Amino acid sequence: MTNTTAEPAPAYGDLHRLMSLMTGDEKHGPAATSTMDALWVLYSRVLRVTPATADAPDRDRFLLSKGHGPMAYYAVLTAHGFIDEELLPGFGAYDSPLGHHPDRLLVPGAEIGSGSLGHGLPLAVGSVLGLRAQGLTGPRVWVLTGDAELDEGSNHEAIAYAGPAGLDQLHTVVIDNASATYGRPGGIAERFATAGWSVDSVDGRDHEALYAAFTAPHPGRPRAVVARVAPKS
Amino acid sequence: MDTMRDRFIATTTRLLDEDPRLALVLAEISRDGFARAERDHPDRVINVGIREQLLIGAGAGMALTGMRPVVHTFASFLVERPFEQVKLDFGHQGVGGVLVSAGGSYDWPAGGFTHMAPGDVALMDTLDGWTVHVPGHPDEAETLLREAAAGEGRVYVRLSMQSNKRAATVGGAGGFTTVREGTRGAVVAVGPMLDNVLDATAGLDVSVLYATTVRPFDGAGLRRAVGGRTAADVVVVEPYLAGTSTAAANDALAALPHRVLGLGVGREELRRYGQLDEHLAAHGLDAHGLRERIGQFLGG
């Protein structure tokens, strides 16, 4: 293994090789690759969290709400040193910590266990409330959902609350691969904007556009970034 | 006498003043009672509006950051409506919190079945690792709430308008206490069922055990109560769905030939309004109904 001799900087080009080590969940393949670029930009340029600070109270939190197809997530966590590469080939096996949906009690660096849709955003709302109640106004909480996941009513409850409550530590990235059966009249961004969120829509494969959208100021309001990727085939 | 819900509001208001780790999450219900607490601790008294899935998720999210959330609404909306959130956001995430319900099985009979939750404890019983408290008096509710707030685990506290006349000593290890000793069997009275059970068993040669903590179930206490006999007759009287603890009693007595009668609220929807005592009588949980069924069971 070449990466045991030193600590090379995480490289985007390495993600496909890391993902190819995980087999057995091909039905979630499109879900896995749709999130890859957003995850990469978040972990390499935005989130203030490392394996050394994974338990620090003032770390940024990333909550993968869309727990389906977590290969890109595991690959990014591996590239950034949270997960040992040796664990990847065991993906989905009985004695592996890496399931087809992630479990926070098994996966180093995972903030929540997910798979059932519609839990991440309410948990993220609570995380922001908990941090704020402890005077921790610096850490930012990010949650990643899919566009179809927004069908879940629990997300509507969270979106409708977080805007008027002014939870500006809260950030949502919606991976939009047009997989929702009925879509959203007026669009996803409009749904968040109506609830008082700061919103932007970008090409979900464009790292600079993602970075700019992720880091734009949004005082007093939560932030939603809709990352459009190719429709699920 | 104040109600358990009044005492919950007064106690939690004081605890919020004393413990900066504590947070209260509401979904409009009981908000008026917490007006002072909300003013004094705006960051730790959260009202999410009429959104019960968010209520549970937000409480669990606060727990993920190290807070101790107390999450409250009527039992129907706390346990039944957002049940998967209770299961995953607390249990699967591995965090603790205190769920406090009001309304019980029929605290507001005129409100009808939409506000009744006789199945809440049975539903919670499908989950691992929850402590379930069913106080029988406002003083007991205060003791159990204080312990729950100071602890770490997952706790469900079930409050009701129904109350025994006097408070018992509760808390600590949570075992069943012996109220009366007899030789023909044991009757376990849960929470507010105690007074009716004592009236119903007056003159009967049975032991009466009092339980305010039903999960974990005090199997050892039940075995002690039936003593060294070769067979045991046990009745469990619960203020919620009949038979909720029958399996736990059976497991506790597995080594002994035994019979268990589970008394509680019937599964069939009564579809009646009226008053609490009318519902107790309809479900055979008043002293008269209990006497008849317990006597029949033991007399055979």
Side-chain angles (χ1 to χ4, degrees):
Chain A
M1 305 297 282
T2 52
N3 67 345
T4 55
T5 53
E7 285 193 29
Y12 178 73
D14 208 26
L15 290 184
H16 282 286
R17 184 186 66 78
L18 292 171
M19 287 178 69
S20 74
L21 296 175
M22 292 171 269
T23 57
D25 188 26
E26 282 72 14
K27 79 183 170 77
H28 279 148
T33 53
S34 69
T35 61
M36 192 167 65
D37 295 280
L39 286 168
W40 179 256
V41 172
L42 281 170
Y43 272 90
S44 56
R45 298 173 70 180
V46 177
L47 294 172
R48 293 170 298 192
V49 61
T50 67
T53 62
D55 294 317
D58 63 349
R59 71 186 183 280
D60 284 350
R61 271 80 168 164
F62 174 77
L63 281 58
L64 183 76
S65 186
K66 190 174 82 83
H68 303 55
M71 292 89 92
Y73 182 50
Y74 292 154
V76 168
L77 287 175
T78 303
H80 285 83
F82 291 91
I83 296 176
D84 287 337
E85 185 176 323
E86 287 71 21
L87 292 173
L88 298 181
F91 179 57
Y94 184 73
D95 56 358
S96 170
L98 308 181
H100 293 190
H101 301 126
D103 183 334
R104 74 178 289 267
L105 299 186
L106 300 178
V107 182
E111 296 284 358
I112 61 168
S114 56
S116 180
L117 298 174
H119 289 260
L121 201 43
L123 285 168
V125 164
S127 296
V128 168
L129 293 168
L131 291 167
R132 197 170 70 175
Q134 295 171 79
L136 295 166
T137 53
R140 297 161 303 189
V141 178
W142 279 87
V143 57
L144 183 148
T145 74
D147 68 299
E149 185 181 0
L150 293 181
D151 290 354
E152 296 283 4
S154 53
N155 287 326
H156 292 250
E157 294 187 1
I159 292 165
Y161 169 78
L167 300 186
D168 55 10
Q169 286 172 262
L170 179 65
H171 304 74
T172 301
V173 53
V174 180
I175 303 298
D176 180 10
N177 61 356
S179 59
T181 298
Y182 290 107
R184 270 165 198 77
I188 296 168
E190 196 53 40
R191 183 65 58 93
F192 281 91
T194 301
W197 290 55
S198 159
V199 185
D200 206 351
S201 295
V202 296
D203 176 349
R205 299 298 185 193
D206 182 334
H207 290 193
E208 290 310 316
L210 285 166
Y211 178 73
F214 288 165
T215 54
H218 50 93
R221 294 195 290 169
R223 172 78 168 164
V225 176
V226 180
R228 294 184 308 266
V229 297
K232 190 176 171 183
S233 55
Chain B
M1 188 167 74
D2 59 353
T3 65
M4 292 186 200
R5 187 172 165 201
D6 296 333
R7 193 69 69 86
F8 158 64
I9 291 169
T11 302
T12 306
T13 296
R14 277 195 298 275
L15 290 172
L16 284 162
D17 293 338
E18 296 163 9
D19 183 356
R21 189 183 67 136
L22 206 65
L24 175 68
V25 192
L26 303 171
E28 299 295 353
I29 301 300
S30 301
R31 190 186 183 185
D32 290 350
F34 285 110
R36 200 273 279 172
E38 193 177 4
R39 247 188 343 267
D40 290 351
H41 309 288
D43 284 348
R44 290 191 288 122
V45 177
I46 307 295
N47 174 38
V48 299
I50 308 170
R51 300 187 176 93
E52 287 85 10
Q53 296 188 67
L54 179 61
L55 173 79
I56 301 294
M62 295 187 89
L64 282 170
T65 69
M67 305 284 290
R68 181 71 168 161
V70 175
V71 182
H72 166 71
T73 183
F74 293 142
S76 308
F77 316 135
L78 184 70
V79 173
E80 294 174 333
R81 182 189 287 256
F83 182 68
E84 198 217 30
Q85 273 75 15
V86 175
K87 170 186 153 193
L88 296 181
D89 295 354
F90 281 100
H92 183 56
Q93 306 302 339
V95 295
V98 186
L99 305 188
V100 181
S101 72
S105 295
Y106 28 64
D107 281 6
W108 181 31
F113 193 63
T114 58
H115 284 59
M116 299 180 182
D120 58 345
V121 177
L123 203 47
M124 291 300 291
D125 205 20
T126 64
L127 304 179
D128 178 45
W130 284 85
T131 296
V132 178
H133 295 311
V134 187
H137 187 278
D139 291 355
E140 299 170 11
E142 175 167 350
T143 302
L144 295 167
L145 282 164
R146 285 181 174 278
E147 276 189 15
E152 300 291 336
R154 293 187 283 279
V155 185
Y156 177 48
V157 186
R158 185 186 208 262
L159 305 182
S160 175
M161 297 290 285
Q162 207 186 331
S163 174
N164 301 310
K165 284 189 277 299
R166 277 185 300 279
T169 304
V170 300
F176 302 165
T177 51
T178 304
V179 183
R180 181 185 290 164
E181 299 217 41
T183 63
R184 286 181 56 204
V187 181
V188 180
V190 174
M193 291 284 93
L194 180 61
D195 281 358
N196 287 359
V197 166
L198 286 174
D199 288 349
T201 56
L204 293 181
D205 183 20
V206 294
S207 295
V208 174
L209 303 182
Y210 181 49
T212 52
T213 300
V214 289
R215 299 291 180 279
F217 187 86
D218 183 12
L222 183 59
R223 282 191 296 274
R224 271 196 304 278
V226 298
R229 287 191 285 282
T230 53
D233 288 338
V234 169
V235 184
V236 183
V237 185
E238 300 177 279
Y240 36 78
L241 201 61
T244 298
S245 294
T246 301
N250 265 320
D251 289 347
L253 301 173
L256 197 67
H258 64 272
R259 299 187 303 149
V260 177
L261 176 65
L263 300 180
V265 180
R267 192 176 295 266
E268 189 184 352
E269 186 183 335
L270 190 57
R271 222 174 274 278
R272 293 279 188 172
Y273 299 107
Q275 302 293 322
L276 205 154
D277 58 353
E278 293 173 303
H279 283 251
L280 281 170
H283 290 285
L285 295 174
D286 59 341
H288 171 76
L290 289 171
R291 172 72 180 218
E292 210 166 80
R293 291 193 290 170
I294 293 170
Q296 212 167 39
F297 179 70
L298 295 175

